[in-house]
Amino acid sequence: MSKASSNPNGFHSIVVTGGGGYVGSALVPTLLDRGYKVKVIDTFWYGHDVFGAYGSNPGLSCVQMDIRDARRLRNEVANCDALIHLACISNDPSVDLNPALGKSINYDAFGPLLDCADAQGVKRFIFASSASIYGVKDQDHVREDAEPAPLTDYARFKLACERDLLAHRGRGDMDRVMVRPAAVCGYARRLRLDLAVNILTANALVNRRIRVFGGGQRRPNINVNDMVRVYHALLDAPSAKIDRQAFNAGYQNNTVDEIAAIVKSSLGDEGIEIAHEDSADKRSYHINSDKITDVLGFTTRYTIEDAVESLAQAFDRNLVHDPLNNPLYINIKRMQELGIS
């Protein structure tokens, strides 16, 4: 039985949309450990067994549904103190697979969700935006007040949701906060191997060969365990510090070449080759995350090296099956397999 929630704002019940995804599968168990009642709203395209033993926790309820079902959504967010909105088609290729579908989930569904949350008395709405809204930036420290320049529909939809969140005129007493994560890395039960650190590590472990597309692009990263801690910090923070604020969350700002070298070194170097290929992906940026430290006192505990080690341990324990081909680990392949395209 979960202990009573000790949230300083008095929150007891949390809804996590997209809680069956990569970050959600790591986040939800920690919310249960802190004593929250947690409702996960998800399509569960990537399977239901994403919480392990926590799946039978009495504090957890899982609702399989599409967030575009606004009528049902209104009932499901009732009696919720805070809502963490993770649900989306969650990378550029997957959105590009069916742009209309991507828009309907990543943008069109956002306004009705916001209205539902406000109407049902949700006290805090936490939106998972993306650092990709910055596009290509030459400066070394891209802060939250930098001019957005999204290059893809995925990033454009995230930015549009941010603007709608800030412009929303409801009852006026719901905190609204946005987090702009860098690329997330490391092992979680609903694993993604279509993210830079994770796929480079998988290739190194399986083929002893790391394929680098381009190499000079800068890619900020955050360990999935620290990403979980960011959401806890946003739940715990006083309203005055976070309401209508955006926070970057990305700490190791490395080029893809540097990430490949970290992966190789973390796995012991021996016998691992790095091969370069051309890339049309020009996204490159270096984000500064001082604000979340200055305002909330948040500091990271985990690194890219820790992420690589966690993946290697998962491979050793046979927790990852056919990593380079299994659609469950690659969003676009799973969507194609399910005929969602």
Side-chain angles (χ1 to χ4, degrees):
M1 182 70 68
S2 296
K3 63 186 177 181
S5 169
S6 57
N7 179 273
N9 295 301
F11 301 157
H12 296 284
S13 57
I14 312 292
V15 166
V16 185
T17 68
Y22 176 41
V23 172
S25 71
L27 171 63
V28 168
T30 67
L31 293 172
L32 293 166
D33 280 343
R34 291 189 63 187
Y36 291 111
K37 290 180 63 177
V38 181
K39 178 180 287 187
V40 172
I41 296 175
D42 201 294
T43 57
F44 292 99
W45 289 345
Y46 302 90
H48 290 267
D49 185 24
V50 293
F51 304 123
Y54 286 88
S56 60
N57 188 295
L60 175 65
S61 61
C62 293
V63 179
Q64 185 170 3
M65 64 169 285
D66 190 316
I67 61 166
R68 292 174 292 178
D69 186 346
R71 179 176 298 180
R72 185 179 175 192
L73 196 60
R74 186 179 183 93
N75 294 327
E76 296 298 346
V77 303
N79 303 312
C80 157
D81 293 317
L83 188 150
I84 301 173
H85 182 41
L86 306 179
C88 67
I89 304 293
S90 56
N91 62 5
D92 296 326
S94 298
V95 171
D96 293 342
L97 181 67
N98 186 331
L101 175 72
K103 180 175 182 290
S104 71
I105 293 174
N106 288 16
Y107 179 64
D108 294 341
F110 184 77
L113 174 64
L114 191 56
D115 289 339
C116 286
D118 185 59
Q120 295 290 43
V122 172
K123 300 179 181 70
R124 182 161 297 180
F125 190 108
I126 300 171
F127 172 51
S129 185
S130 172
S132 66
I133 68 166
Y134 297 121
V136 175
K137 298 291 185 187
D138 292 329
Q139 63 260 47
D140 286 339
H141 293 279
V142 177
R143 301 177 188 274
E144 289 83 353
D145 58 358
E147 184 67 27
L151 299 176
T152 65
D153 282 344
Y154 171 79
R156 292 183 192 101
F157 296 148
K158 289 293 190 182
L159 179 60
C161 288
E162 283 197 16
R163 288 174 172 167
D164 286 358
L165 185 66
L166 292 176
H168 179 73
R169 293 183 178 274
R171 300 183 314 153
D173 56 353
M174 181 173 70
D175 298 336
R176 291 165 276 170
V177 59
M178 302 157 290
V179 59
R180 296 170 180 165
V184 183
C185 58
Y187 178 74
R189 284 187 62 92
R190 197 265 107 169
L191 182 60
R192 282 185 63 184
L193 292 178
D194 52 5
L195 295 160
V197 172
N198 294 2
I199 190 58
L200 295 182
T201 302
N203 274 279
L205 290 167
V206 175
N207 296 326
R208 312 302 290 175
R209 187 171 186 266
I210 301 173
R211 297 169 66 198
V212 173
F213 293 89
Q217 314 98 308
R218 293 184 293 183
R219 286 287 191 275
N221 278 270
I222 183 168
N223 189 294
V224 66
N225 293 316
D226 277 326
M227 195 65 242
V228 165
R229 295 178 57 244
V230 167
Y231 288 113
H232 286 294
L234 295 176
L235 286 170
D236 289 349
S239 172
K241 290 189 174 183
I242 57 92
D243 188 27
R244 305 190 188 194
Q245 294 295 312
F247 294 94
N248 289 342
Y251 295 87
Q252 287 175 274
N253 285 278
N254 300 97
T255 66
V256 178
D257 276 332
E258 290 168 344
I259 293 170
I262 290 171
V263 170
K264 181 176 179 179
S265 174
S266 298
L267 295 177
D269 272 340
E270 191 171 339
I272 298 176
E273 172 194 1
I274 296 179
H276 285 83
E277 300 182 28
D278 291 336
S279 174
D281 186 353
K282 304 302 182 185
R283 289 174 303 137
S284 182
Y285 46 93
H286 179 298
I287 65 173
N288 180 292
S289 299
D290 288 349
K291 180 178 176 181
I292 197 169
T293 299
D294 295 342
V295 175
L296 302 182
F298 178 86
T299 56
T300 57
R301 295 178 183 170
Y302 304 92
T303 62
I304 292 175
E305 290 84 350
D306 293 328
V308 174
E309 183 178 350
S310 72
L311 290 163
Q313 289 175 352
F315 276 56
D316 287 344
R317 294 169 59 195
N318 200 33
L319 299 177
V320 185
H321 307 288
D322 195 13
L324 300 185
N325 300 299
N326 191 336
L328 287 175
Y329 306 134
I330 303 168
N331 286 3
I332 191 170
K333 288 186 177 182
R334 179 59 172 166
M335 291 174 63
Q336 290 169 325
E337 181 181 57
L338 294 174
I340 295 168
S341 63

mmCIF file of all heavy atoms in Angstrom, residues 222-264:
data_model
loop_
_atom_site.group_PDB
_atom_site.id
_atom_site.type_symbol
_atom_site.label_atom_id
_atom_site.label_comp_id
_atom_site.label_asym_id
_atom_site.label_seq_id
_atom_site.Cartn_x
_atom_site.Cartn_y
_atom_site.Cartn_z
ATOM 1 N N ILE A 222 19.593 14.562 -21.444
ATOM 2 C CA ILE A 222 19.294 14.437 -20.028
ATOM 3 C C ILE A 222 18.985 12.978 -19.747
ATOM 4 O O ILE A 222 18.265 12.319 -20.505
ATOM 5 C CB ILE A 222 18.120 15.354 -19.599
ATOM 6 C CG1 ILE A 222 17.882 15.258 -18.079
ATOM 7 C CG2 ILE A 222 16.853 15.055 -20.376
ATOM 8 C CD1 ILE A 222 16.939 16.333 -17.535
ATOM 9 N N ASN A 223 19.548 12.461 -18.675
ATOM 10 C CA ASN A 223 19.300 11.080 -18.273
ATOM 11 C C ASN A 223 17.845 10.930 -17.850
ATOM 12 O O ASN A 223 17.276 11.809 -17.194
ATOM 13 C CB ASN A 223 20.243 10.728 -17.117
ATOM 14 C CG ASN A 223 20.234 9.252 -16.770
ATOM 15 O OD1 ASN A 223 19.219 8.722 -16.314
ATOM 16 N ND2 ASN A 223 21.364 8.600 -16.953
ATOM 17 N N VAL A 224 17.220 9.814 -18.214
ATOM 18 C CA VAL A 224 15.807 9.613 -17.904
ATOM 19 C C VAL A 224 15.532 9.705 -16.408
ATOM 20 O O VAL A 224 14.465 10.182 -15.985
ATOM 21 C CB VAL A 224 15.300 8.276 -18.494
ATOM 22 C CG1 VAL A 224 15.964 7.074 -17.818
ATOM 23 C CG2 VAL A 224 13.783 8.182 -18.427
ATOM 24 N N ASN A 225 16.492 9.304 -15.584
ATOM 25 C CA ASN A 225 16.284 9.396 -14.133
ATOM 26 C C ASN A 225 16.239 10.843 -13.655
ATOM 27 O O ASN A 225 15.486 11.177 -12.725
ATOM 28 C CB ASN A 225 17.384 8.624 -13.399
ATOM 29 C CG ASN A 225 17.303 7.140 -13.647
ATOM 30 O OD1 ASN A 225 16.215 6.556 -13.603
ATOM 31 N ND2 ASN A 225 18.428 6.510 -13.930
ATOM 32 N N ASP A 226 17.018 11.702 -14.287
ATOM 33 C CA ASP A 226 16.937 13.125 -13.954
ATOM 34 C C ASP A 226 15.674 13.750 -14.524
ATOM 35 O O ASP A 226 15.091 14.663 -13.913
ATOM 36 C CB ASP A 226 18.168 13.871 -14.471
ATOM 37 C CG ASP A 226 19.354 13.766 -13.522
ATOM 38 O OD1 ASP A 226 19.119 13.737 -12.290
ATOM 39 O OD2 ASP A 226 20.497 13.719 -14.006
ATOM 40 N N MET A 227 15.217 13.261 -15.683
ATOM 41 C CA MET A 227 13.969 13.788 -16.242
ATOM 42 C C MET A 227 12.810 13.512 -15.292
ATOM 43 O O MET A 227 11.941 14.356 -15.073
ATOM 44 C CB MET A 227 13.705 13.141 -17.604
ATOM 45 C CG MET A 227 12.642 13.864 -18.422
ATOM 46 S SD MET A 227 13.134 15.526 -18.894
ATOM 47 C CE MET A 227 11.878 16.507 -18.046
ATOM 48 N N VAL A 228 12.810 12.336 -14.690
ATOM 49 C CA VAL A 228 11.808 11.995 -13.677
ATOM 50 C C VAL A 228 11.886 12.971 -12.510
ATOM 51 O O VAL A 228 10.861 13.461 -12.016
ATOM 52 C CB VAL A 228 12.015 10.544 -13.207
ATOM 53 C CG1 VAL A 228 11.243 10.268 -11.921
ATOM 54 C CG2 VAL A 228 11.594 9.570 -14.309
ATOM 55 N N ARG A 229 13.092 13.284 -12.078
ATOM 56 C CA ARG A 229 13.284 14.176 -10.949
ATOM 57 C C ARG A 229 12.817 15.604 -11.279
ATOM 58 O O ARG A 229 12.355 16.337 -10.389
ATOM 59 C CB ARG A 229 14.749 14.178 -10.520
ATOM 60 C CG ARG A 229 15.221 12.837 -9.977
ATOM 61 C CD ARG A 229 16.717 12.860 -9.589
ATOM 62 N NE ARG A 229 16.987 13.900 -8.625
ATOM 63 C CZ ARG A 229 17.771 14.951 -8.867
ATOM 64 N NH1 ARG A 229 18.376 15.094 -10.047
ATOM 65 N NH2 ARG A 229 17.974 15.853 -7.934
ATOM 66 N N VAL A 230 12.925 15.998 -12.550
ATOM 67 C CA VAL A 230 12.414 17.309 -12.958
ATOM 68 C C VAL A 230 10.915 17.393 -12.707
ATOM 69 O O VAL A 230 10.414 18.396 -12.171
ATOM 70 C CB VAL A 230 12.739 17.578 -14.442
ATOM 71 C CG1 VAL A 230 11.936 18.777 -14.960
ATOM 72 C CG2 VAL A 230 14.232 17.840 -14.641
ATOM 73 N N TYR A 231 10.185 16.345 -13.063
ATOM 74 C CA TYR A 231 8.727 16.382 -12.860
ATOM 75 C C TYR A 231 8.376 16.429 -11.372
ATOM 76 O O TYR A 231 7.425 17.115 -10.978
ATOM 77 C CB TYR A 231 8.063 15.204 -13.560
ATOM 78 C CG TYR A 231 8.064 15.376 -15.059
ATOM 79 C CD1 TYR A 231 8.805 14.540 -15.885
ATOM 80 C CD2 TYR A 231 7.362 16.412 -15.647
ATOM 81 C CE1 TYR A 231 8.835 14.724 -17.260
ATOM 82 C CE2 TYR A 231 7.383 16.612 -17.020
ATOM 83 C CZ TYR A 231 8.118 15.766 -17.822
ATOM 84 O OH TYR A 231 8.151 15.965 -19.185
ATOM 85 N N HIS A 232 9.137 15.749 -10.544
ATOM 86 C CA HIS A 232 8.911 15.850 -9.100
ATOM 87 C C HIS A 232 9.161 17.279 -8.616
ATOM 88 O O HIS A 232 8.407 17.804 -7.786
ATOM 89 C CB HIS A 232 9.807 14.869 -8.349
ATOM 90 C CG HIS A 232 9.368 13.439 -8.464
ATOM 91 N ND1 HIS A 232 8.189 12.988 -7.926
ATOM 92 C CD2 HIS A 232 9.945 12.375 -9.054
ATOM 93 C CE1 HIS A 232 8.055 11.706 -8.183
ATOM 94 N NE2 HIS A 232 9.111 11.302 -8.868
ATOM 95 N N ALA A 233 10.225 17.890 -9.141
ATOM 96 C CA ALA A 233 10.530 19.273 -8.735
ATOM 97 C C ALA A 233 9.401 20.218 -9.138
ATOM 98 O O ALA A 233 9.051 21.141 -8.392
ATOM 99 C CB ALA A 233 11.858 19.718 -9.358
ATOM 100 N N LEU A 234 8.821 20.000 -10.301
ATOM 101 C CA LEU A 234 7.728 20.861 -10.765
ATOM 102 C C LEU A 234 6.444 20.603 -9.988
ATOM 103 O O LEU A 234 5.623 21.519 -9.831
ATOM 104 C CB LEU A 234 7.501 20.655 -12.257
ATOM 105 C CG LEU A 234 8.665 21.098 -13.156
ATOM 106 C CD1 LEU A 234 8.379 20.752 -14.611
ATOM 107 C CD2 LEU A 234 8.949 22.592 -13.008
ATOM 108 N N LEU A 235 6.249 19.408 -9.500
ATOM 109 C CA LEU A 235 5.099 19.129 -8.640
ATOM 110 C C LEU A 235 5.264 19.768 -7.262
ATOM 111 O O LEU A 235 4.294 20.243 -6.666
ATOM 112 C CB LEU A 235 4.906 17.616 -8.472
ATOM 113 C CG LEU A 235 4.326 16.849 -9.655
ATOM 114 C CD1 LEU A 235 4.444 15.343 -9.405
ATOM 115 C CD2 LEU A 235 2.873 17.234 -9.911
ATOM 116 N N ASP A 236 6.483 19.796 -6.766
ATOM 117 C CA ASP A 236 6.739 20.285 -5.410
ATOM 118 C C ASP A 236 6.868 21.800 -5.311
ATOM 119 O O ASP A 236 6.691 22.375 -4.237
ATOM 120 C CB ASP A 236 8.036 19.668 -4.873
ATOM 121 C CG ASP A 236 7.913 18.185 -4.567
ATOM 122 O OD1 ASP A 236 6.778 17.667 -4.563
ATOM 123 O OD2 ASP A 236 8.956 17.534 -4.340
ATOM 124 N N ALA A 237 7.174 22.460 -6.424
ATOM 125 C CA ALA A 237 7.508 23.884 -6.389
ATOM 126 C C ALA A 237 6.311 24.752 -6.004
ATOM 127 O O ALA A 237 5.170 24.440 -6.350
ATOM 128 C CB ALA A 237 8.022 24.321 -7.760
ATOM 129 N N PRO A 238 6.558 25.844 -5.305
ATOM 130 C CA PRO A 238 5.479 26.802 -5.025
ATOM 131 C C PRO A 238 4.943 27.402 -6.321
ATOM 132 O O PRO A 238 5.697 27.612 -7.273
ATOM 133 C CB PRO A 238 6.169 27.879 -4.180
ATOM 134 C CG PRO A 238 7.447 27.277 -3.712
ATOM 135 C CD PRO A 238 7.846 26.273 -4.736
ATOM 136 N N SER A 239 3.678 27.696 -6.339
ATOM 137 C CA SER A 239 3.038 28.247 -7.528
ATOM 138 C C SER A 239 3.757 29.494 -8.037
ATOM 139 O O SER A 239 3.970 29.662 -9.242
ATOM 140 C CB SER A 239 1.579 28.580 -7.214
ATOM 141 O OG SER A 239 0.977 29.272 -8.281
ATOM 142 N N ALA A 240 4.139 30.366 -7.129
ATOM 143 C CA ALA A 240 4.738 31.640 -7.531
ATOM 144 C C ALA A 240 6.032 31.464 -8.319
ATOM 145 O O ALA A 240 6.429 32.352 -9.079
ATOM 146 C CB ALA A 240 4.999 32.498 -6.295
ATOM 147 N N LYS A 241 6.698 30.323 -8.141
ATOM 148 C CA LYS A 241 7.970 30.106 -8.817
ATOM 149 C C LYS A 241 7.826 29.472 -10.200
ATOM 150 O O LYS A 241 8.741 29.570 -11.027
ATOM 151 C CB LYS A 241 8.886 29.227 -7.960
ATOM 152 C CG LYS A 241 9.404 29.917 -6.719
ATOM 153 C CD LYS A 241 10.469 29.084 -6.031
ATOM 154 C CE LYS A 241 11.090 29.835 -4.865
ATOM 155 N NZ LYS A 241 12.193 29.064 -4.229
ATOM 156 N N ILE A 242 6.708 28.816 -10.460
ATOM 157 C CA ILE A 242 6.620 28.060 -11.713
ATOM 158 C C ILE A 242 5.457 28.465 -12.609
ATOM 159 O O ILE A 242 5.449 28.149 -13.794
ATOM 160 C CB ILE A 242 6.575 26.542 -11.436
ATOM 161 C CG1 ILE A 242 5.401 26.147 -10.520
ATOM 162 C CG2 ILE A 242 7.887 26.076 -10.820
ATOM 163 C CD1 ILE A 242 4.154 25.775 -11.222
ATOM 164 N N ASP A 243 4.453 29.140 -12.075
ATOM 165 C CA ASP A 243 3.274 29.423 -12.885
ATOM 166 C C ASP A 243 3.621 30.273 -14.105
ATOM 167 O O ASP A 243 4.258 31.315 -14.002
ATOM 168 C CB ASP A 243 2.221 30.148 -12.040
ATOM 169 C CG ASP A 243 0.894 30.304 -12.763
ATOM 170 O OD1 ASP A 243 0.597 29.472 -13.645
ATOM 171 O OD2 ASP A 243 0.158 31.259 -12.447
ATOM 172 N N ARG A 244 3.222 29.771 -15.282
ATOM 173 C CA ARG A 244 3.445 30.421 -16.567
ATOM 174 C C ARG A 244 4.925 30.571 -16.909
ATOM 175 O O ARG A 244 5.318 31.488 -17.640
ATOM 176 C CB ARG A 244 2.743 31.784 -16.630
ATOM 177 C CG ARG A 244 1.259 31.691 -16.330
ATOM 178 C CD ARG A 244 0.530 32.960 -16.617
ATOM 179 N NE ARG A 244 -0.853 32.876 -16.145
ATOM 180 C CZ ARG A 244 -1.810 33.720 -16.485
ATOM 181 N NH1 ARG A 244 -1.539 34.725 -17.294
ATOM 182 N NH2 ARG A 244 -3.041 33.581 -16.024
ATOM 183 N N GLN A 245 5.724 29.651 -16.414
ATOM 184 C CA GLN A 245 7.154 29.667 -16.683
ATOM 185 C C GLN A 245 7.539 28.478 -17.565
ATOM 186 O O GLN A 245 6.878 27.439 -17.578
ATOM 187 C CB GLN A 245 7.949 29.595 -15.379
ATOM 188 C CG GLN A 245 7.782 30.798 -14.489
ATOM 189 C CD GLN A 245 8.328 32.062 -15.107
ATOM 190 O OE1 GLN A 245 9.449 32.093 -15.614
ATOM 191 N NE2 GLN A 245 7.530 33.124 -15.082
ATOM 192 N N ALA A 246 8.635 28.647 -18.299
ATOM 193 C CA ALA A 246 9.241 27.568 -19.077
ATOM 194 C C ALA A 246 10.615 27.272 -18.499
ATOM 195 O O ALA A 246 11.333 28.199 -18.087
ATOM 196 C CB ALA A 246 9.360 27.964 -20.540
ATOM 197 N N PHE A 247 10.970 25.998 -18.470
ATOM 198 C CA PHE A 247 12.265 25.581 -17.933
ATOM 199 C C PHE A 247 12.940 24.620 -18.906
ATOM 200 O O PHE A 247 12.362 23.599 -19.289
ATOM 201 C CB PHE A 247 12.092 24.874 -16.585
ATOM 202 C CG PHE A 247 11.580 25.754 -15.481
ATOM 203 C CD1 PHE A 247 10.225 25.816 -15.199
ATOM 204 C CD2 PHE A 247 12.450 26.519 -14.718
ATOM 205 C CE1 PHE A 247 9.731 26.616 -14.175
ATOM 206 C CE2 PHE A 247 11.977 27.338 -13.696
ATOM 207 C CZ PHE A 247 10.617 27.387 -13.427
ATOM 208 N N ASN A 248 14.171 24.963 -19.296
ATOM 209 C CA ASN A 248 14.985 24.002 -20.034
ATOM 210 C C ASN A 248 15.401 22.867 -19.105
ATOM 211 O O ASN A 248 15.590 23.085 -17.899
ATOM 212 C CB ASN A 248 16.248 24.662 -20.581
ATOM 213 C CG ASN A 248 15.975 25.622 -21.722
ATOM 214 O OD1 ASN A 248 14.914 25.572 -22.349
ATOM 215 N ND2 ASN A 248 16.925 26.502 -22.004
ATOM 216 N N ALA A 249 15.599 21.686 -19.682
ATOM 217 C CA ALA A 249 16.112 20.548 -18.910
ATOM 218 C C ALA A 249 17.032 19.733 -19.811
ATOM 219 O O ALA A 249 16.610 18.816 -20.504
ATOM 220 C CB ALA A 249 14.968 19.680 -18.382
ATOM 221 N N GLY A 250 18.303 20.139 -19.828
ATOM 222 C CA GLY A 250 19.308 19.442 -20.619
ATOM 223 C C GLY A 250 20.680 19.878 -20.163
ATOM 224 O O GLY A 250 20.921 21.076 -20.006
ATOM 225 N N TYR A 251 21.584 18.950 -19.971
ATOM 226 C CA TYR A 251 22.804 19.299 -19.240
ATOM 227 C C TYR A 251 24.094 18.991 -19.988
ATOM 228 O O TYR A 251 25.002 19.818 -20.023
ATOM 229 C CB TYR A 251 22.777 18.633 -17.863
ATOM 230 C CG TYR A 251 21.650 19.212 -17.042
ATOM 231 C CD1 TYR A 251 20.370 18.691 -17.119
ATOM 232 C CD2 TYR A 251 21.844 20.368 -16.301
ATOM 233 C CE1 TYR A 251 19.314 19.270 -16.425
ATOM 234 C CE2 TYR A 251 20.794 20.955 -15.609
ATOM 235 C CZ TYR A 251 19.533 20.398 -15.676
ATOM 236 O OH TYR A 251 18.494 20.981 -15.006
ATOM 237 N N GLN A 252 24.235 17.830 -20.595
ATOM 238 C CA GLN A 252 25.456 17.527 -21.330
ATOM 239 C C GLN A 252 25.222 17.909 -22.785
ATOM 240 O O GLN A 252 24.542 17.213 -23.521
ATOM 241 C CB GLN A 252 25.813 16.053 -21.173
ATOM 242 C CG GLN A 252 26.342 15.730 -19.773
ATOM 243 C CD GLN A 252 26.575 14.249 -19.566
ATOM 244 O OE1 GLN A 252 25.669 13.534 -19.198
ATOM 245 N NE2 GLN A 252 27.801 13.798 -19.816
ATOM 246 N N ASN A 253 25.811 19.033 -23.175
ATOM 247 C CA ASN A 253 25.628 19.564 -24.526
ATOM 248 C C ASN A 253 26.784 19.102 -25.403
ATOM 249 O O ASN A 253 27.764 19.818 -25.589
ATOM 250 C CB ASN A 253 25.576 21.092 -24.475
ATOM 251 C CG ASN A 253 24.254 21.618 -23.944
ATOM 252 O OD1 ASN A 253 23.280 21.711 -24.671
ATOM 253 N ND2 ASN A 253 24.223 21.960 -22.667
ATOM 254 N N ASN A 254 26.671 17.919 -25.940
ATOM 255 C CA ASN A 254 27.742 17.329 -26.731
ATOM 256 C C ASN A 254 27.378 17.262 -28.210
ATOM 257 O O ASN A 254 26.204 17.217 -28.570
ATOM 258 C CB ASN A 254 28.039 15.902 -26.248
ATOM 259 C CG ASN A 254 28.473 15.842 -24.803
ATOM 260 O OD1 ASN A 254 27.674 15.582 -23.920
ATOM 261 N ND2 ASN A 254 29.740 16.104 -24.569
ATOM 262 N N THR A 255 28.402 17.224 -29.055
ATOM 263 C CA THR A 255 28.148 16.905 -30.452
ATOM 264 C C THR A 255 27.870 15.402 -30.567
ATOM 265 O O THR A 255 28.178 14.621 -29.654
ATOM 266 C CB THR A 255 29.363 17.245 -31.328
ATOM 267 O OG1 THR A 255 30.457 16.394 -30.968
ATOM 268 C CG2 THR A 255 29.760 18.713 -31.177
ATOM 269 N N VAL A 256 27.298 15.012 -31.699
ATOM 270 C CA VAL A 256 27.034 13.586 -31.918
ATOM 271 C C VAL A 256 28.353 12.808 -31.913
ATOM 272 O O VAL A 256 28.422 11.685 -31.397
ATOM 273 C CB VAL A 256 26.256 13.374 -33.227
ATOM 274 C CG1 VAL A 256 26.020 11.885 -33.472
ATOM 275 C CG2 VAL A 256 24.930 14.117 -33.185
ATOM 276 N N ASP A 257 29.407 13.401 -32.463
ATOM 277 C CA ASP A 257 30.728 12.759 -32.420
ATOM 278 C C ASP A 257 31.171 12.525 -30.974
ATOM 279 O O ASP A 257 31.704 11.453 -30.640
ATOM 280 C CB ASP A 257 31.774 13.615 -33.131
ATOM 281 C CG ASP A 257 31.796 13.401 -34.639
ATOM 282 O OD1 ASP A 257 31.430 12.290 -35.082
ATOM 283 O OD2 ASP A 257 32.181 14.335 -35.364
ATOM 284 N N GLU A 258 30.983 13.522 -30.130
ATOM 285 C CA GLU A 258 31.385 13.389 -28.726
ATOM 286 C C GLU A 258 30.543 12.337 -28.011
ATOM 287 O O GLU A 258 31.063 11.585 -27.172
ATOM 288 C CB GLU A 258 31.265 14.741 -28.026
ATOM 289 C CG GLU A 258 32.306 15.751 -28.485
ATOM 290 C CD GLU A 258 32.012 17.169 -28.013
ATOM 291 O OE1 GLU A 258 30.870 17.445 -27.587
ATOM 292 O OE2 GLU A 258 32.938 18.013 -28.076
ATOM 293 N N ILE A 259 29.250 12.275 -28.342
ATOM 294 C CA ILE A 259 28.396 11.253 -27.731
ATOM 295 C C ILE A 259 28.890 9.869 -28.133
ATOM 296 O O ILE A 259 28.967 8.955 -27.288
ATOM 297 C CB ILE A 259 26.928 11.454 -28.151
ATOM 298 C CG1 ILE A 259 26.381 12.753 -27.554
ATOM 299 C CG2 ILE A 259 26.083 10.270 -27.704
ATOM 300 C CD1 ILE A 259 25.024 13.150 -28.104
ATOM 301 N N ALA A 260 29.231 9.695 -29.396
ATOM 302 C CA ALA A 260 29.748 8.396 -29.853
ATOM 303 C C ALA A 260 31.007 8.022 -29.093
ATOM 304 O O ALA A 260 31.189 6.855 -28.693
ATOM 305 C CB ALA A 260 30.020 8.443 -31.356
ATOM 306 N N ALA A 261 31.879 8.997 -28.864
ATOM 307 C CA ALA A 261 33.114 8.723 -28.122
ATOM 308 C C ALA A 261 32.813 8.353 -26.672
ATOM 309 O O ALA A 261 33.476 7.469 -26.098
ATOM 310 C CB ALA A 261 34.037 9.942 -28.181
ATOM 311 N N ILE A 262 31.819 9.006 -26.065
ATOM 312 C CA ILE A 262 31.420 8.673 -24.692
ATOM 313 C C ILE A 262 30.886 7.251 -24.632
ATOM 314 O O ILE A 262 31.223 6.484 -23.723
ATOM 315 C CB ILE A 262 30.359 9.673 -24.182
ATOM 316 C CG1 ILE A 262 30.977 11.051 -23.955
ATOM 317 C CG2 ILE A 262 29.717 9.168 -22.888
ATOM 318 C CD1 ILE A 262 29.962 12.146 -23.666
ATOM 319 N N VAL A 263 30.045 6.894 -25.608
ATOM 320 C CA VAL A 263 29.492 5.538 -25.646
ATOM 321 C C VAL A 263 30.617 4.514 -25.765
ATOM 322 O O VAL A 263 30.676 3.531 -25.017
ATOM 323 C CB VAL A 263 28.503 5.380 -26.822
ATOM 324 C CG1 VAL A 263 28.122 3.916 -27.018
ATOM 325 C CG2 VAL A 263 27.258 6.235 -26.579
ATOM 326 N N LYS A 264 31.506 4.750 -26.692
ATOM 327 C CA LYS A 264 32.624 3.820 -26.911
ATOM 328 C C LYS A 264 33.475 3.675 -25.665
ATOM 329 O O LYS A 264 33.793 2.555 -25.236
ATOM 330 C CB LYS A 264 33.477 4.305 -28.086
ATOM 331 C CG LYS A 264 34.647 3.387 -28.418
ATOM 332 C CD LYS A 264 35.382 3.881 -29.658
ATOM 333 C CE LYS A 264 36.572 2.953 -29.967
ATOM 334 N NZ LYS A 264 37.302 3.393 -31.178
#
